[in-house]
Amino acid sequence: GAGVSQSPSNKVTEKGKDVELRCDPISGHTALYWYRQRLGQGLEFLIYFQGNSAPDKSGLPSDRFSAERTGESVSTLTIQRTQQEDSAVYLCASSRGTEAFFGQGTRLTVV
Amino acid sequence: GEDVEQSLFLSVREGDSSVINCTYTDSSSTYLYWYKQEPGAGLQLLTYIFSNMDMKQDQRLTVLLNKKDKHLSLRIADTQTGDSAIYFCAESKPGGYNKLIFGAGTRLAVHP
């Protein structure tokens, strides 16, 4: 596709369930980022992938959060045992240089 | 404290200029960015400036960088109602890649 694609666009889950969010970056983009945006707040860095290098996981808020990416392809962000405070929009971005392109995000609601 | 700070709200009259300010803490930041987020939409890159530049102009947008004070501003000339959005300042951390750190965003409201 032409842009960064995220799925699902919306996800409602029950507290305690696991969720998996998907990001399809722009083809050829070596860098991929995940951010979290809580309602009315800025973007909180979660994790960064650059090619085959070890990811920068310094922003993951707890061990319930994990992310994977194989090479320069799709990435999945997994949240285990979801809590209500995990409710947010999860944004993915990809880049091959100076500019990062963002997807539309996945709105996660934990009830 | 926060790496990147912005005022949260700005209200301007249509046709006036808007100036959105941002301060950052890392003097080794390589690039500084302005992103725009419209309601219900993703982030759109408006412009960016390399850290060795003082100013960059792109149509109605002017970015000023004061590296000594670690202060970045975005000026929007002839502000229109379509400019109403949240504007995020971001810095890229050095270290071989552009890890972006965002401010909390400034909500720009344009009124007639």
Side-chain angles (χ1 to χ4, degrees):
Chain A
V4 177
S5 177
Q6 292 188 246
S7 61
S9 54
N10 281 284
K11 175 72 176 178
V12 180
T13 190
E14 291 183 353
K15 179 181 171 182
K17 299 282 188 187
D18 298 352
V19 295
E20 191 172 279
L21 312 180
R22 177 186 170 106
C23 173
D24 280 274
I26 294 172
S27 178
H29 281 196
T30 56
L32 187 146
Y33 312 75
W34 282 98
Y35 288 86
R36 176 169 70 179
Q37 186 178 27
R38 291 193 165 114
L39 186 63
Q41 297 189 21
L43 275 72
E44 177 187 3
F45 169 79
L46 296 178
I47 190 168
Y48 171 89
F49 295 92
Q50 172 61 46
N52 293 316
S53 302
D56 179 344
K57 304 180 182 180
S58 59
L60 294 178
S62 77
D63 58 8
R64 296 187 295 106
F65 287 72
S66 63
E68 292 184 353
R69 186 187 189 198
T70 303
E72 297 178 2
S73 63
V74 170
S75 176
T76 55
L77 176 69
T78 302
I79 309 173
Q80 295 178 309
R81 305 181 303 280
T82 51
Q83 303 294 313
Q84 287 187 328
E85 63 262 27
D86 299 333
S87 296
V89 175
Y90 290 81
L91 291 162
C92 174
S94 72
S95 171
R96 66 174 179 185
T98 306
E99 181 175 356
F101 295 83
F102 281 80
Q104 294 296 306
T106 294
R107 181 175 299 278
L108 175 66
T109 304
V110 182
V111 297
Chain B
E2 293 292 328
D3 285 349
V4 181
E5 292 191 357
Q6 303 177 237
S7 52
L8 295 182
F9 189 74
L10 177 66
S11 178
V12 298
R13 192 164 52 189
E14 190 174 10
D16 287 352
S17 292
S18 307
V19 179
I20 302 171
N21 294 301
C22 169
T23 57
Y24 60 99
T25 57
D26 193 335
S27 59
S28 60
S29 294
T30 50
Y31 288 92
L32 294 126
Y33 303 78
W34 285 105
Y35 279 82
K36 177 182 180 182
Q37 186 178 40
E38 295 181 89
L43 270 74
Q44 172 196 357
L45 178 66
L46 284 179
T47 187
Y48 64 91
I49 189 168
F50 189 51
S51 57
N52 68 353
M53 297 170 63
D54 298 323
M55 185 183 85
K56 181 177 180 181
Q57 186 153 4
D58 183 2
Q59 299 182 340
R60 291 191 297 121
L61 305 178
T62 303
V63 178
L64 295 177
L65 175 61
N66 181 329
K67 200 170 179 183
K68 174 176 169 289
D69 295 337
K70 302 190 191 69
H71 182 266
L72 182 75
S73 68
L74 175 70
R75 178 177 181 269
I76 305 172
D78 187 24
T79 313
Q80 302 298 307
T81 54
D83 295 324
S84 294
I86 302 174
Y87 291 81
F88 290 94
C89 170
E91 62 174 348
S92 64
K93 294 290 194 181
Y97 57 85
N98 285 327
K99 174 180 172 179
L100 296 176
I101 302 299
F102 284 81
T106 299
R107 182 177 297 275
L108 175 65
V110 182
H111 55 88

